[in-house]
Amino acid sequence: MARFGDRRYGPMTELVLGGRSSDEQFGFVNPPVVHGSTVLWSTVADFKAARGRYTYGRRGTPTSEALSDALKQLEGGQHVALAPSGVSAVSLALMTALKSGDHLLMVDTVYEPTRRFCDGMLRRMGVETSYYDASVGAHVSDLMRPNTKAVFVESPGSLTFEVQDVPAIAGAAHARGAAVIMDNTWATPLFFKAHDHGVDLAVSAGTKYLGGHADLMMGWVSANAAHAAALRTTHGALGLCCGPDDMFLALRGLRTLGVRLAHHQAAGLRVARWLQSRPEVARVMHPGLESDPGHALWKRDFTGASGLFAIELEPGSEAALAAFLDELELFGLGYSWGGFESLAIPFDARPMRTASKWAPQGPTVRLHIGLEDVEDLVADLDAGLARYGAVG
Ligand SMILES: *Cc1c(COP(=O)(O)O)cnc(C)c1O
């Protein structure tokens, strides 16, 4: 099998082929895992001209190239830069697009550590951030200032799952010369083609579905043609690189991303629909549900849903919430998501919202639906909600 160049296959085929090249793999199916810093030259002339495909481990290895090539194919962009975590990919994208004196428009429903980076580091570097309501759409142009150089979107929003009108926002931002950055972790580039919807710099936490097995920290940024050079330069200046074994795990995860996501989607929707029928549940926040306020936009722009969503319970005590969550047998209580296992965490988004209203009546819980049998997960939640109702 040769490199497949410009030929376009279906997305599942691309996941299987991406980053592979039989010429350089000694016939093995998978690319080699290269542990390396120094690259040797044979003459001073070659050294001085920095001749050759590789020059130094930090700047790229056959392993990092295989992974970034495969991700580039999946994203449909011009360049992919790998980062050691999702948060480092977010900061890489922001530093690629912004400089001292610039203004950033940030969605209010953004992942909380991104907010912290803006209010801390970016502020210290002379970039001002203001937050906007996720439902803003094309009206984002009313919020733009002469020095607004980037608009950041995350759709659906972290914890509360509001869907944004990304094409409308991108149109308004581009009309005034601002770049559009998106955190696309929830959908992955398989279910949302960020560049096709006007995003210039698309960020993903590979820690989630790319890794898929709760054993990896990784992130990446994909740039379109207009931002590829700036991304390369910023990535190089920051000295970001990933460990070869982690990149190997990410490549391995990529091969099964499609089948895993299809299962997470179907199982997540089944559990979400079942939860809607429960008297203890006031609201299910999942854009794939017809009743969700973001459903029409999701249906228009996305080709699928992942296994992460949230519920608002009917009012109940802290003790009732603990009774629900503490005794769950299959849902673990922990950060991150996108692995093969189901998770449930309570959250309070109120302190994280400054430009929009978030006022649930009861406790809120984020669920990740893993690869277990759906019947087992439903039985676990069924018993948990009964405990919630009993304690009250
Ligand atoms: C988890 C997450 C990140 C950060 O990824 P890490 O690898 O944990 O740093 C960024 N954005 C979103 C939406 C996430 O869920």
Side-chain angles (χ1 to χ4, degrees):
M1 179 187 36
R3 276 181 183 272
F4 54 110
D6 294 334
R7 171 114 187 247
R8 296 295 289 188
Y9 289 103
M12 302 292 268
T13 308
E14 286 190 345
L15 291 179
V16 168
L17 295 178
R20 291 169 55 200
S21 163
S22 57
D23 305 345
E24 292 156 19
Q25 293 172 198
F26 313 102
F28 286 95
V29 168
N30 287 294
V33 181
V34 175
H35 286 253
S37 52
T38 301
V39 177
L40 299 174
W41 282 274
S42 46
T43 67
V44 171
D46 284 353
F47 171 76
K48 283 195 169 169
R51 239 169 244 134
R53 185 151 155 202
Y54 304 104
T55 56
Y56 187 50
R58 172 167 28 81
R59 299 199 191 109
T61 67
T63 311
S64 70
E65 228 169 54
L67 177 58
S68 47
D69 280 0
L71 291 173
K72 193 176 103 172
Q73 199 91 29
L74 179 62
E75 295 271 13
Q78 275 298 307
H79 180 65
V80 161
L82 303 175
S85 69
V87 164
S88 65
V90 166
S91 56
L92 169 61
L94 287 165
M95 285 191 279
T96 296
L98 294 161
K99 62 179 188 316
S100 177
D102 288 349
H103 171 243
L104 164 69
L105 276 169
M106 172 59 72
V107 65
D108 202 31
T109 49
V110 75
Y111 182 61
E112 208 268 338
T114 300
R115 182 180 277 267
R116 238 179 294 150
F117 180 79
C118 295
D119 297 345
M121 286 290 285
L122 277 189
R123 187 193 180 93
R124 211 144 57 73
M125 291 160 58
V127 175
E128 190 187 347
T129 301
S130 52
Y131 292 88
Y132 68 88
D133 189 303
S135 66
V136 72
H139 294 294
V140 75
S141 53
D142 301 340
L143 307 174
M144 293 187 74
R145 308 175 189 172
N147 65 335
T148 304
K149 289 294 154 58
V151 178
F152 193 108
V153 298
E154 181 176 328
S155 180
S158 266
L159 299 171
T160 47
F161 300 93
E162 294 86 347
V163 182
Q164 293 191 256
D165 191 339
V166 177
I169 291 170
H174 290 155
R176 293 182 170 229
V180 178
I181 310 173
M182 176 173 191
D183 188 328
N184 192 28
T185 300
W186 182 83
T188 83
L190 204 56
F191 286 163
F192 186 83
K193 292 289 177 210
H195 295 308
D196 291 352
H197 290 90
V199 173
D200 299 295
L201 293 159
V203 179
S204 288
T207 307
K208 309 292 164 57
Y209 285 116
L210 179 63
H213 295 73
D215 54 7
L216 169 70
M217 303 299 301
M218 171 95 46
W220 78 87
V221 181
S222 172
N224 61 11
H227 293 79
L231 176 61
R232 264 180 222 278
T233 305
T234 311
H235 184 251
L238 291 169
L240 297 174
C241 54
C242 302
D245 293 322
D246 286 343
M247 294 188 285
F248 168 77
L249 285 176
L251 260 176
R252 172 189 274 211
L254 185 79
R255 309 302 177 203
T256 57
L257 180 66
V259 287
R260 285 186 287 108
L261 270 177
H263 185 97
H264 287 294
Q265 164 166 240
L269 274 167
R270 276 180 64 194
V271 174
R273 291 215 166 87
W274 176 81
L275 283 163
Q276 282 186 305
S277 73
R278 291 294 308 212
E280 301 88 349
V281 177
R283 186 157 71 106
V284 181
M285 290 158 259
H286 187 312
L289 295 174
E290 292 74 8
S291 56
D292 191 90
H295 183 69
L297 283 176
W298 173 80
K299 213 170 158 185
R300 186 191 71 186
D301 294 344
F302 291 69
T303 53
S306 64
L308 191 78
F309 61 94
I311 54 174
E312 177 185 332
L313 296 166
E314 292 293 346
S317 64
E318 286 277 323
L321 184 64
F324 172 24
L325 297 176
D326 285 354
E327 306 293 320
L328 289 174
E329 288 176 5
L330 300 177
F331 286 81
L333 180 70
Y335 285 121
S336 206
W337 45 275
F340 52 80
E341 81 291 10
S342 289
L343 297 167
I345 51 162
F347 68 89
D348 181 3
R350 280 173 300 185
M352 305 172 206
R353 302 289 183 259
T354 54
S356 48
K357 247 223 171 95
W358 170 249
Q361 302 299 302
T364 43
V365 176
R366 188 186 74 183
L367 297 171
H368 179 250
I369 304 305
L371 305 180
E372 303 90 343
D373 285 297
V374 175
E375 294 72 21
D376 292 337
L377 296 176
V378 164
D380 202 18
L381 292 170
D382 187 43
L385 288 171
R387 291 191 297 272
Y388 183 81
V391 175

